[in-house]
């Protein structure tokens, strides 16, 4: 039989999705279900003085209005070990446990009613009086502190080698600049939603989640109940980009409300509510200093990054990673500091920290190339990191040179005229820019169950997730090949805590972790298959042995390779921009990316992943921006009309190539993981192209028209 | 969102009587704007009167004055052969409006009366003089990049967001309006009010008046008109700056010019200084630039929207060059 791994199979879940058969969290229609609507604080810091729910309670259909005044006290037991998706310090928001207000948009009450409309109407009638206190709504650099040791230990602090300050001071060529990107929100199409239903002391949650096991474990701690009594179901996720990694307060609210009213409760967040409920990519300001020899070799990199966190949790990210690991440089100093503000806690969003660290580094590298009068690719090749100098170990594989070469060829980089503002098409200024892409490859323990049936079908399952990258499809391909079955005969299931444990569907780890376990389980199944004739099918062998089915489990986890090697995905991204100098508008007619992501299991969905990353990168470079009003402590454009993401007309010619690569040191599949790397490098490539087009360096993303019009 | 009643009006008389009499009832046509306002709690009318069944849709362009029913969908206006032939400026403005999906629902009357995109107006939890008279204007010293540079007061600098009205004003349109007493005709130019002391009053329509049609006089500008829209992304967004240029030419000379800007005023903003600069002169690139430079005269930008002045100047220049066929 022909292998399906490596083939451009269409999504196996595609038909269910386009025919409406895929059921998302908000769509489970339980009998007896009632609806919840939230009431939010309108001040940034203080206490609730009075909360008057009488009018709301009088509304037709209302079952309960729950707030700190009448909510059950929840134990919020500390977790023995915090999951990787949670901040390492501070305490998650406790809902309805007291009158304290820490940010605008904090949930302060929930109305439960027979219909959504009744619940929302009543929620608007809840009257609140506050005692307001002074709030911190801006990042103050003088108040910013390095993250706690717990965060640093988790790789979310700074790092250094050599003596960067000294080397920078002596360097003959320097770049010294500040850059930043604005706060971004995930804005997946599917809003977050939870449906909670109690059966005695057992709880079932239908939730939008990238990690059902973690929802179970956190809710067990919040309610002080055994995890076994909780089932979490999340078969489909309509995009998440990191927003569904954590277990957010609204999940607790749904469960608490369902217990209090004794009915199944459905809580679906509105678009505006998402901006205060599920985190965001924090605005990060970065001071970058590069020192180099006249021949372009880096002698010093210094980064000083400052980002906000909330006043109740310390959210830290790996902003220092790219600076420490992308290029060969003897002296590197990466500082990272956090300043608490009265806002909800930020959270991972597509390549958290990495995409933004890459952004700063790659804009700085472009400035260095410009200062040296050197081709930007040549500068990067001169500083090629043969090893991971941060960890002092070799890469398990690295084909970045091939990426530069391939992307440059496909882009026709050789047509670039080097001086800024030297390429035109009529009145339009044309610019070419490039950047390196980098994203660490990791994996985590995963378990899988595989069942073969006597009718020659198989079911393979694990509590993983598919927020869109194609987990269903890739796992089905791996299982089909290992079992020697046609793909239609293999059903892959995920998103249910009844299934074997899987790691978080994040950090681009799913294929390398879960995929390896899928192969392991299927191999175990094959090993236990009763003997039979050569030509005999699996089912026939089972039937002959009097078996209806055969079950096996598989497991995978990182081994010693994680100590001996460093693993990462690499890429090179090239962008062309057209700038209208009269209006400052930037359009991106084409992007070319070449990637080393190890073995590609499905080139079609892999390409889609990269297209999505490029579109996200256009957004990050040119338009995505939560507009924060510090006086009011809130995002003012919290809707999809005013928070701009690219539309079709912004996306033209996107070209994706995967260079030949397979990393069997990293894992037996040879796949390094392909998701977040697709975003890395896109925004700086565009920003560098804008500089090349206009001669004007915009270091604060997004590059809105006025930044090119006004000095 | 508060509960409201919903009535489908079978004829205009019912609609008008339901909305008049101080009941605060509100018409709903395509619903593309009013539903957002309801859902976000920006407005909370006790009842909605659905006017979609009223006989006010359709386009007549045979001769003389053209008539566009107020309930005609934007997509139907843009696709109408007569409109395409006689008023390409209007078609361009419509094609740059929202998205095909929205244009299939949105009506002409509703488009003229869509509310501002000012961030503070659209968030019901913050002060806004337009939404809550007397509560203050956080845009004045706040996030005002999309706000108006013309026609504002310290009470309100909310920009009128529409595209179609900008083109219609350049085409010197009139409106037909019905109330319980009957029908009246008014100039589109008189529809919108400046915010002054009372930004909550946006139009000169009395409560409960229904727009039934837009009337377009014949003009000679069809061959020399252009709608130019500048925005942050390539499509599906309101204008940062837009310009409707309608030129009636006498050979190479500008016989009559109507130049109107969108995205910059508290109402669609006629650029009289630009029109004066063009009047009677041969249209050349130099003249277009000079006239464009007059576009910012009288502007009172705030910190976040000062860029709109040079953007508008260059947009006017570009629109003139394109309309005049000398780009
Ligand atoms: C995502 C998005 C993007 C958009 N982009 C643009 C854009 O680029 N440019 C642009 O111009 N617009 C844009 N719009 C706005 C859109 O064009 C308007 O929402 C639409 O034209 C309103 O028409 P409607 O029939 O849906 O009005 P409705 O929402 O039904 O009504 C709007 C208002 O008009 C009143 N009303 C409606 N008809 C009448 C009548 N005949 N007489 C009296 N009062 C009436 C209603 O009472 C209500 O107050 C966009 C909208 C969306 C949702």
């Amino acid at each position: 039989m022909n292998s399906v791994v490596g083939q451009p199979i269409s999504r196996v879940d595609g038909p269910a999705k386009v025919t409406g058969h895929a059921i998302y969290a908000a769509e489970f229609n339980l009998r007896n279900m009632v609806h919840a609507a939230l009431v939010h604080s309108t001040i940034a810091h203080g206490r609730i003085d009075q909360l008057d729910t009488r009018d709301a309670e009088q509304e037709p259909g209302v079952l309960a209005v729950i707030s700190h005044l009448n909510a059950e006290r929840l134990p919020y037991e500390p977790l023995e070990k915090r999951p990787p998706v949670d901040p390492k310090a501070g305490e998650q928001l406790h809902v309805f446990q007291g009158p304290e207000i820490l940010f605008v948009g904090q949930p302060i009450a929930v109305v439960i009613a027979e219909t959504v409309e009744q619940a929302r109407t009543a929620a608007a009638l809840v009257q609140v009086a506050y005692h307001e206190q002074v709030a911190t709504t801006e990042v103050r650099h003088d108040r910013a502190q390095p993250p706690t040791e717990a965060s640093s230990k988790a790789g979310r602090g700074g790092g250094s080698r050599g003596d960067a300050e000294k080397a920078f001071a002596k360097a003959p060529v320097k770049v010294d600049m500040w850059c930043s990107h604005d706060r971004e929100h995930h804005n997946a199409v599917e809003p977050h939603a939870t449906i909670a239903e109690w059966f005695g002391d057992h709880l079932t949650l239908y939730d939008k989640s990238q990690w059902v096991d973690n929802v179970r474990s956190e809710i067990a701690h919040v309610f002080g109940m055994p995890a076994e009594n909780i089932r979490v179901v999340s078969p489909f996720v309509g995009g998440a980009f990191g927003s569904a990694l954590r277990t957010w307060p609204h999940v607790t609210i749904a469960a608490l409300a369902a217990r209090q009213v004794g009915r199944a409760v459905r809580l679906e967040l509105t678009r505006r509510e998402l901006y205060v409920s599920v985190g965001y990519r924090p605005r990060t300001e970065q001071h970058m200093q590069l020192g180099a020899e006249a021949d372009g070799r880096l002698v010093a990199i210094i980064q000083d990054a400052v980002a906000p966190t909330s006043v109740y949790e310390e959210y830290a990210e790996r902003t220092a990673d790219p600076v420490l690991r992308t290029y060969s440089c003897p002296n590197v100093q990466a500082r990272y500091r956090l300043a608490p503000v009265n806002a909800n806690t930020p959270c991972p969003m597509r390549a958290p920290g990495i995409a933004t660290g890459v952004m700063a580094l790659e804009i700085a590298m472009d400035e260095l190339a410009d200062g040296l009068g050197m081709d930007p690719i040549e500068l990067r090749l001169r500083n090629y990191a043969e090893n991971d100098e941060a960890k002092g170990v070799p890469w398990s594989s690295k084909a970045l040179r091939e990426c530069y070469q391939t992307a440059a060829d496909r882009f026709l980089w050789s047509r670039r005229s080097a001086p800024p503002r030297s390429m035109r098409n009529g009145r339009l200024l044309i610019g070419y820019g490039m950047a390196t892409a980098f994203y660490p490859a990791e994996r985590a323990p995963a378990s899988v169950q595989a069942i073969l049936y006597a009718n020659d079908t198989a079911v393979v399952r694990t509590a993983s997730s598919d927020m869109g990258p194609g987990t269903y499809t890739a796992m089905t391909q791996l299982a089909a090949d290992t079992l020697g079955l046609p793909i239609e005969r293999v059903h892959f299931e995920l998103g249910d805590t009844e299934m074997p444990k899987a790691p978080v569907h994040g950090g681009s780890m799913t294929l390398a972790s879960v995929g390896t376990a899928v192969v392991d389980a299927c191999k175990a199944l094959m090993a236990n298959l009763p003997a039979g004739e050569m030509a005999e099918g699996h089912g026939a062998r089972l039937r002959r042995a009097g078996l209806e089915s055969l079950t096996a489990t598989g497991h995978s986890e990182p081994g010693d390779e994680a100590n001996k090697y460093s693993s990462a995905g690499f890429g090179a991204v090239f962008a062309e921009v057209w700038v209208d100098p009269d209006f400052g508008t930037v359009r991106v007619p084409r992007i070319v990316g070449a990637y080393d992501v190890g073995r590609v299991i499905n080139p079609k969905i892999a390409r889609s992943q990269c297209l999505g990353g490029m579109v996200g990168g256009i957004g990050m470079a040119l338009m995505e921006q939560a507009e924060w009003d510090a006086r009011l402590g809130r995002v003012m454009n919290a809707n999809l009309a005013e928070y701009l993401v690219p539309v079709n007309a912004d996306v033209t010619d996107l070209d994706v190539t995967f260079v030949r690569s397979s990393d069997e040191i990293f894992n037996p599949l040879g796949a390094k993981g392909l998701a977040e790397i697709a975003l890395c490098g896109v925004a700086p490539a565009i920003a560098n192209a804008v500089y090349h087009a206009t001669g004007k360096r915009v270091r604060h993303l997004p590059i809105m028209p006025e930044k090119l019009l006004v000095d | 969102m508060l509960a409201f009643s919903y009535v489908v009006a079978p004829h205009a008389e019912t609609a008008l009587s339901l909305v008049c009499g101080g009941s605060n009832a509100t018409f709903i046509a395509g619903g593309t704007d009013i539903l957002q306002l309801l859902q976000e709690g920006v407005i909370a009318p006790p009842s909605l009167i659905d006017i979609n069944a009223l006989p006010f849709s359709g386009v007549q362009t045979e001769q003389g004055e053209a008539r566009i029913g107020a309930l005609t969908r934007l997509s139907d206006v843009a696709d109408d052969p007569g409109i395409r032939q006689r008023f390409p400026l209007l078609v361009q403005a419509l094609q740059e409006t929202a998205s095909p999906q929205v244009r299939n629902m949105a009506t002409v009357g509703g488009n003229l009366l869509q509310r501002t995109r000012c961030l503070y107006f659209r968030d019901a939890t913050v002060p806004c003089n337009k939404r809550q008279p007397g509560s203050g204007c956080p845009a004045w010293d706040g996030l005002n990049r999309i706000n108006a540079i013309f026609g504002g007061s310290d009470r309100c600098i909310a920009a009128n967001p529409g595209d179609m009205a900008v083109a219609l004003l350049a085409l010197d349109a009139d409106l037909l309006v019905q109330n319980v007493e009957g029908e009246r005709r008014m100039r589109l130019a008189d529809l919108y009010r400046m915010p002054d002391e009372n930004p909550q009053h946006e139009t000169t329509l009395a409560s409960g008046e229904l727009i039934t049609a837009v009337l377009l006089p014949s003009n000679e500008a069809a061959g020399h008109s252009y709608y130019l829209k500048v925005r942050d992304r390539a499509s599906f967004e309101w204008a940062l700056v837009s310009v409707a240029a309608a030129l009636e030419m006498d050979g190479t000379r500008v016989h009559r010019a109507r130049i109107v800007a969108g995205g910059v005023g508290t109402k669609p903003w006629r650029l009289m200084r630009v029109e004066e600069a063009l009047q009677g002169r041969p249209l050349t690139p130099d003249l277009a630039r000079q006239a464009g430079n007059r576009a910012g005269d009288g502007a009172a930008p705030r910190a976040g929207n000062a860029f709109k002045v040079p953007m508008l100047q260059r947009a006017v220049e570009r629109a003139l060059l394109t309309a005049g066929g000398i780009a």
Side-chain angles (χ1 to χ4, degrees):
Chain A
M1 211 179 66
N2 291 334
S3 164
V4 287
V5 168
Q7 298 299 313
I9 309 285
S10 293
R11 284 169 191 277
V12 297
D13 49 333
K17 282 186 171 163
V18 298
T19 56
H21 286 87
I23 309 289
Y24 294 84
E27 300 176 326
F28 285 86
N29 199 357
L30 308 188
R31 249 184 303 153
N32 250 333
M33 186 166 73
V34 289
H35 299 266
L38 295 172
V39 180
H40 302 276
S41 85
T42 55
I43 63 161
H45 187 204
R47 315 166 50 85
I48 302 170
D49 252 358
Q50 276 173 359
L51 190 101
D52 184 347
T53 59
R54 280 170 300 183
D55 288 351
E57 279 157 7
Q58 296 311 310
E59 278 296 299
V62 171
L63 277 74
V65 183
I66 304 170
S67 68
H68 70 290
L69 299 174
N70 59 348
E72 61 173 301
R73 297 300 100 168
L74 295 172
Y76 278 97
E77 289 168 0
L79 292 146
E80 305 79 58
K81 186 170 176 289
R82 293 194 184 211
V85 296
D86 279 11
K88 295 287 164 268
E91 184 62 37
Q92 65 178 287
L93 190 73
H94 292 194
V95 287
F96 309 155
Q97 302 296 299
E100 293 75 27
I101 299 297
L102 301 175
F103 62 93
V104 171
Q106 181 179 329
I108 55 176
V110 63
V111 177
I112 313 300
E114 295 288 345
T115 69
V116 180
E117 292 75 16
Q118 289 170 334
R120 295 212 171 129
T121 299
L125 298 175
V126 173
Q127 307 284 330
V128 193
Y130 300 98
H131 171 73
E132 227 177 312
Q133 284 165 269
V134 178
T136 307
T137 55
E138 268 171 317
V139 168
R140 297 248 326 246
H141 285 224
D142 56 339
R143 297 240 181 104
Q145 295 290 337
T148 51
E149 206 183 311
S151 290
S152 298
K153 264 198 198 145
R156 301 176 199 175
S160 68
R161 59 178 177 267
D163 187 340
E165 301 283 353
K166 203 163 120 197
F168 179 73
K170 287 199 302 194
V173 188
K174 289 179 189 171
V175 169
D176 188 336
M177 59 91 161
W178 278 91
C179 67
S180 68
H181 64 88
D182 256 320
R183 167 169 167 168
E184 290 183 314
H185 286 260
H186 310 74
N187 275 321
V189 171
E190 183 204 12
H192 282 252
T194 307
I195 297 173
E197 186 173 32
W198 289 86
F199 305 91
D201 58 1
H202 283 63
L203 171 65
T204 302
L205 294 165
Y206 302 86
D207 190 29
K208 168 171 179 159
S209 171
Q210 294 171 247
W211 197 10
V212 288
D213 287 333
N214 182 53
V215 175
R216 166 154 81 174
S217 135
E218 293 221 19
I219 294 298
H221 284 84
V222 170
F223 283 82
M225 63 190 282
E228 311 81 76
N229 289 7
I230 302 173
R231 179 174 178 198
V232 183
V233 181
S234 181
F236 292 100
V237 174
F241 310 115
S243 72
L245 294 167
R246 291 193 69 183
T247 308
W248 294 111
H250 68 267
V251 182
T252 300
I253 294 175
L256 177 142
R259 185 142 86 177
Q260 210 140 328
V261 301
R263 304 268 294 270
V265 167
R266 174 183 179 276
L267 173 55
E268 183 180 22
L269 301 180
T270 64
R271 183 63 57 183
R272 198 177 277 281
E273 284 173 341
L274 291 170
Y275 282 74
V276 287
S277 307
V278 297
Y280 49 88
R281 188 197 298 285
R283 176 190 159 85
T284 306
E285 295 166 73
Q286 303 184 55
H287 184 196
M288 293 295 301
Q289 295 172 304
L290 302 184
E293 301 288 359
D295 65 0
R297 269 180 308 128
L298 287 165
V299 293
I301 310 177
I302 303 173
Q303 175 195 41
D304 189 359
V306 181
T309 184
S310 69
V311 295
Y312 54 98
E313 283 177 309
E314 178 184 276
Y315 171 73
E317 42 185 40
R318 301 163 71 175
T319 313
D321 244 46
V323 161
L324 290 164
R325 301 170 73 187
T326 307
Y327 296 110
S328 174
C329 178
N331 307 293
V332 183
Q333 171 82 54
R335 267 181 246 112
Y336 179 58
R337 291 178 296 141
L338 296 167
V341 293
N342 287 97
N344 55 315
T345 309
C347 83
M349 175 171 163
R350 274 215 127 185
I354 308 286
T356 51
V358 165
M359 188 258 315
L361 180 61
E362 292 303 304
I363 291 176
M365 286 294 278
D366 200 64
E367 297 199 24
L368 182 59
D370 192 52
L372 288 162
M374 184 179 285
D375 184 274
I377 307 175
E378 179 57 28
L379 176 66
R380 285 161 175 87
L381 290 173
R382 290 211 181 160
N383 293 288
Y384 198 81
E386 299 291 354
N387 298 308
D388 180 353
E389 294 181 7
K391 278 175 74 181
V393 294
W395 301 105
S396 56
S397 69
K398 179 169 180 173
L400 179 56
R401 279 199 187 85
E402 292 78 348
C403 295
Y404 291 133
Q405 184 72 50
T406 305
D409 288 350
R410 294 182 72 88
F411 187 82
L412 300 176
W413 179 256
S414 54
R415 294 192 184 170
R416 177 179 189 260
S417 125
R421 218 182 168 98
S422 63
M423 293 173 75
R424 276 177 180 268
N425 177 6
R427 61 187 154 77
L428 296 177
L429 305 175
I430 295 181
Y432 288 4
M434 59 84 58
T436 304
F438 163 82
Y439 192 84
E442 272 150 24
R443 59 196 190 110
S447 303
V448 166
Q449 182 185 52
I451 311 167
L452 187 65
Y453 292 96
N455 65 357
D456 272 313
T457 62
V459 170
V460 181
R461 54 165 71 113
T462 173
S464 188
S465 170
D466 186 349
M467 61 170 151
T471 314
Y472 276 111
T473 312
M475 300 304 158
T476 306
Q477 286 172 268
L478 289 169
D481 267 13
T482 315
L483 294 171
L485 287 176
I487 199 158
E488 308 74 34
R489 298 204 150 251
V490 177
H491 300 277
F492 181 76
E493 297 176 353
L494 53 69
D496 191 331
T497 47
E498 308 274 271
M499 300 172 182
K501 270 189 184 302
V504 58
H505 178 44
S508 307
M509 302 189 301
T510 300
L511 187 60
S513 311
V514 177
T516 310
V518 164
V519 171
D520 190 56
C522 294
K523 279 187 176 158
L525 205 55
M526 294 302 281
N528 295 339
L529 200 62
E533 309 286 319
M534 272 292 276
E536 205 173 21
H538 303 339
R541 294 189 195 195
L542 291 187
R543 288 194 297 274
R544 187 133 58 115
L547 294 173
E548 272 173 26
S549 68
L550 186 67
T551 301
T553 54
H555 186 76
S556 85
E557 59 186 26
D560 197 28
E561 79 281 351
N563 302 318
K564 291 199 255 169
Y565 297 91
S566 235
S567 301
F570 301 93
V573 187
F574 290 66
E576 175 174 341
V577 299
W578 294 351
V579 181
D580 190 320
D582 285 345
F583 309 135
T585 43
V586 180
R587 304 291 180 244
V588 186
R590 64 195 179 106
I591 301 177
V592 172
Y595 303 90
D596 160 20
V597 292
R599 184 152 156 245
V600 174
I601 304 299
N602 183 324
K604 186 173 184 177
I605 53 180
R607 175 171 174 273
S608 294
Q609 191 58 218
C610 291
L611 300 183
M614 288 173 175
V615 175
I618 294 173
M620 185 175 183
L622 301 180
M623 60 191 88
E624 283 197 56
Q625 175 182 43
E627 294 189 66
W628 179 255
D629 187 321
R631 301 164 307 169
L632 298 165
R634 70 195 81 193
V635 171
M636 291 310 308
N637 59 337
N639 66 66
L640 282 178
E642 267 75 35
Y643 180 103
L644 301 181
V645 298
V647 295
N648 280 330
D650 293 298
V651 180
T652 32
D653 186 5
L654 307 182
D655 181 89
V656 177
T657 309
F658 299 104
V659 302
R660 186 184 287 277
S661 161
S662 183
D663 190 337
E664 271 127 47
I665 294 177
F666 175 57
N667 83 345
L669 295 181
K672 292 199 273 194
L674 161 55
E676 285 150 296
I677 188 160
L679 180 72
C680 298
V682 180
I686 293 170
N688 294 340
V690 168
Y691 170 75
H692 181 239
T694 62
K696 178 158 184 168
R697 183 68 73 177
V698 180
R699 302 185 181 90
H700 303 282
L701 305 188
I703 306 173
M704 306 295 262
E706 61 265 39
K707 295 182 186 170
L708 292 170
L709 278 187
V710 185
D711 285 309
Chain B
M1 183 167 63
L2 293 176
F4 54 85
S5 66
Y6 172 76
V7 182
V8 178
H11 24 67
E13 293 69 36
T14 324
L16 293 169
S17 65
L18 283 168
V19 169
C20 287
S23 70
N24 278 326
T26 303
F27 300 126
I28 176 168
T32 58
D33 190 32
I34 202 168
L35 286 178
Q36 290 180 47
L37 298 167
L38 287 168
Q39 285 174 341
E40 298 257 34
V42 175
I43 58 170
S47 58
L48 283 187
I49 315 302
D50 186 329
I51 57 173
N52 285 290
L54 306 186
F56 303 133
S57 63
V59 181
Q60 287 153 29
T61 54
E62 285 72 48
Q63 73 261 358
E65 187 173 71
R67 179 186 172 115
I68 304 171
L71 285 168
T72 316
R73 309 287 157 176
L74 300 186
S75 50
D76 291 334
V77 181
D79 288 345
D80 183 85
I83 297 288
R84 294 182 81 89
Q85 197 197 336
R86 292 180 56 193
F87 308 104
L89 177 66
L90 175 58
V91 176
Q92 288 166 354
L94 290 171
Q95 284 170 341
E96 300 270 293
T97 295
S99 69
Q101 298 91 327
V102 174
R103 295 198 294 270
N104 284 339
M105 283 304 289
T107 65
V108 168
N111 187 275
L112 292 175
L113 297 178
Q114 65 174 299
R115 311 293 301 273
T116 182
R117 304 309 304 181
C118 175
L119 303 177
Y120 301 94
F121 173 75
R122 295 259 160 188
D123 184 338
T125 67
V126 302
C128 166
N129 286 328
K130 191 185 273 301
R131 184 165 30 74
Q132 224 182 348
S135 61
C137 176
W140 182 254
D141 283 322
L143 299 167
N144 49 32
R145 84 181 279 275
I146 63 171
N147 291 64
I149 56 173
F150 293 113
S153 71
D154 60 1
R155 301 288 167 92
C156 182
I157 49 170
N160 181 299
D163 287 297
M164 184 184 69
V166 178
L168 289 179
L169 195 57
L171 296 169
D172 204 6
D174 281 357
L175 301 179
L176 283 184
V177 173
Q178 256 191 40
N179 54 36
V180 270
E181 265 122 51
E183 192 175 78
R184 69 186 172 102
R185 182 175 178 138
M186 65 182 287
R187 304 186 56 207
L188 173 65
D190 296 331
L191 176 65
Y192 301 105
R193 290 189 201 222
M194 305 268 262
D196 298 323
E197 301 290 298
N198 292 302
Q200 72 276 22
H201 299 307
E202 293 182 337
T203 71
T204 55
L205 295 179
S207 148
E209 281 190 310
L210 194 59
I211 300 176
T212 58
V214 170
L215 306 170
L216 287 173
S218 287
N219 69 50
E220 301 296 319
H224 298 285
S225 65
Y226 189 62
Y227 190 77
L228 184 140
K229 182 169 174 179
V230 183
R231 44 187 158 183
D232 292 313
R233 65 181 173 194
S235 180
F236 205 9
E237 196 197 355
W238 286 268
L240 282 173
V241 161
S242 70
V243 177
L247 305 177
E248 289 181 303
M249 302 294 287
D250 182 1
T252 57
R253 233 167 252 286
V254 179
H255 169 61
R256 207 167 77 101
R258 281 180 72 99
I259 313 295
V260 184
V264 291
T266 52
K267 58 182 190 176
W269 205 256
R270 202 163 154 201
L271 299 171
M272 300 290 207
R273 290 283 132 71
V274 176
E275 292 178 9
E276 282 160 19
L278 294 167
Q279 185 66 43
R281 300 232 168 84
L283 184 62
T284 62
D286 270 352
L287 180 67
R289 174 153 280 255
Q290 281 165 30
N293 286 343
R294 307 296 304 276
D297 290 8
R302 304 296 303 164
N305 62 10
F307 71 92
K308 284 188 176 180
V309 173
M311 187 181 269
L312 176 65
Q313 290 172 327
R314 299 288 67 81
V316 168
E317 178 186 357
R318 180 85 56 83
L320 291 173
L321 292 172
T322 314
I326 52 172

